[in-house]
Amino acid sequence: MTDGAIKLYGKHSETELLKETAQVGRLPHGIMLTGEKGIGKRTFAKWCAMLYLCTSPTSDGAPCGKCRSCKNIIAGEHADVMYVKNGKYKKETIRQSVRDASFLPNDSDTRIIIYEDCEEMTEEQQNVLLKAIEEPSAHNRYIFTCSNPSAIVETIKSRLVTIRMSDMTGEECAACLEEQGISADDAVGAVERYGVNPGKILEILADESRKKLYDTADRLINAISDRDEYAAAVALTGCGTREELADIVSVLYERATEAVTAAEKGFAPVRSPELSKMSKTKLYRLCEVLNDFLLLDGANINVKLTQAQLSARIFEAVE
């Protein structure tokens, strides 16, 4: 979907909500966009900045994408749109953003201050922002993006309107990948294998080790589906380090939880239809086993021993 010269995918409900709010002059002073990394929060934050600063909004309240403000935001050159994160957050950088916010905007009557990946801030760094968020000036608006809202102090969250980013459909994700230069066939295949998070898919496609990780996960899922404990054990022996083993379990847990959701809704999971052969009870038990492993202290894991124990516990769960 193209909205104001920015292509947004799977964000219809979010754009409609904010356009309606803009039309009645009730845009909040602060927004927190939450959702999985790679799902499009940064692009949507840019669209929100355009919504705040557009000088010629369309009849339905959307940013026009054509005025000077919109064009400058799209190009990343608007003098009144501040991206605070620069690599890692530092207390002094955040303090400077608060000081800068005390001055009047440069070209507009509103300044937009964007804190991306705000879960990366320490609690001490977040507390630097508190007064600015609690007592916002008339000319500042704040946009936060966050993958883990539980890492944000309540005093900040309570003063922001939280908007959960919707997942994309398979078709929307494939279209997004095509926009990034992936062929139509490869985009569809990637969605079927890796899910509907375009940012995550692009990272996987650019990393051979990540692709091999998913190959191993597929072999494990096939072995579990076929009740072949030996094949599962062989697949797990390809994990030579604690990190690799944890990565495999993370992928398997992701697929298992997807299968649970699909079972609850009465359809087969897109990525691992083999898991649909299991009852919901067995899928729940499989998720519990995998989650227990993910909660272990990785520093204390003996890889060889854990490979054997994990395989045995998985098959106990699905028997």
Side-chain angles (χ1 to χ4, degrees):
M1 159 183 158
T2 302
D3 203 322
I6 284 184
K7 288 187 177 180
L8 301 174
Y9 296 91
K11 305 295 180 286
H12 178 74
S13 61
E14 294 90 327
T15 57
E16 289 304 304
L17 170 66
L18 288 173
K19 286 189 295 186
E20 290 174 8
T21 307
Q23 284 184 303
V24 296
R26 298 292 299 273
L27 280 172
H29 83 274
I31 296 172
M32 178 177 288
L33 307 176
T34 68
E36 187 180 23
K37 182 179 180 182
I39 203 67
K41 297 189 297 297
R42 189 176 204 277
T43 301
F44 196 77
K46 184 177 285 191
W47 182 86
C48 289
M50 292 166 61
L51 189 66
Y52 280 113
L53 297 179
C54 179
T55 57
S56 302
T58 62
S59 59
D60 67 347
C64 69
K66 299 175 182 178
C67 68
R68 179 169 170 266
S69 284
C70 284
K71 287 181 177 180
N72 284 344
I73 292 170
I74 292 169
E77 298 173 351
H78 200 293
D80 292 321
V81 178
M82 295 170 48
Y83 290 87
V84 178
K85 184 184 177 186
N86 183 16
K88 291 185 178 181
Y89 279 112
K90 298 178 181 177
K91 187 195 292 188
E92 184 51 42
T93 304
I94 296 170
R95 279 182 174 154
Q96 185 60 52
S97 74
V98 173
R99 286 194 289 268
D100 290 342
S102 66
F103 299 106
L104 291 173
N106 296 287
D107 295 335
S108 312
D109 58 3
T110 303
R111 175 189 292 106
I112 310 300
I113 307 169
I114 300 176
Y115 294 91
E116 297 180 277
D117 305 317
C118 62
E119 71 275 10
E120 295 179 10
M121 294 184 200
T122 65
E123 185 172 341
E124 182 183 11
Q125 290 168 346
Q126 292 178 49
N127 286 331
V128 173
L129 285 173
L130 272 179
K131 187 171 183 181
I133 302 298
E134 288 175 331
E135 302 174 9
S137 69
H139 55 260
N140 290 329
R141 300 292 182 272
Y142 296 89
I143 302 173
F144 291 74
T145 72
C146 183
S147 300
N148 179 19
S150 65
I152 308 305
V153 298
E154 285 298 327
T155 42
I156 287 181
K157 283 194 291 188
S158 65
R159 286 161 176 78
L160 304 173
V161 173
T162 298
I163 300 176
R164 169 76 185 180
M165 296 287 95
S166 302
D167 290 331
M168 299 181 190
T169 64
E171 292 80 6
E172 289 165 340
C173 186
C176 184
L177 292 172
E178 286 184 58
E179 186 190 350
Q180 300 300 316
I182 308 297
S183 72
D185 288 344
D186 287 346
V188 171
V191 169
E192 290 176 348
R193 188 169 196 197
Y194 304 124
V196 291
N197 182 320
K200 182 178 179 180
I201 290 173
L202 290 171
E203 287 183 358
I204 293 169
L205 294 177
D207 186 341
E208 286 299 321
S209 64
R210 294 282 300 279
K211 287 194 279 188
K212 289 179 181 178
L213 171 72
Y214 278 82
D215 288 340
T216 302
D218 287 339
R219 291 199 300 274
L220 263 173
I221 289 168
N222 287 330
I224 294 168
S225 175
D226 295 338
R227 301 295 191 271
D228 189 340
E229 189 169 351
Y230 175 75
V234 170
L236 284 170
T237 58
C239 307
T241 66
R242 292 187 294 267
E243 291 74 20
E244 289 175 351
L245 191 57
D247 286 343
I248 284 291
V249 175
S250 294
V251 173
L252 195 55
Y253 181 74
E254 177 185 294
R255 298 289 182 88
T257 53
E258 181 183 280
V260 167
T261 301
E264 290 174 342
K265 294 182 178 180
F267 58 83
V270 173
R271 287 190 288 172
S272 298
E274 303 90 344
L275 293 177
S276 65
K277 298 176 185 178
M278 295 183 198
S279 67
K280 284 193 286 186
T281 299
K282 290 180 180 180
L283 286 171
Y284 285 131
R285 289 205 301 256
L286 176 60
C287 288
E288 287 175 0
V289 167
L290 298 171
N291 187 56
D292 287 346
F293 173 83
L294 292 172
L295 294 175
L296 292 175
D297 180 359
N300 295 323
I301 288 176
N302 178 295
V303 175
K304 293 293 184 184
L305 180 59
T306 303
Q307 287 169 352
Q309 291 177 337
L310 181 60
S311 180
R313 288 198 61 198
I314 285 173
F315 280 87
E316 285 175 7
V318 301
E319 283 301 327

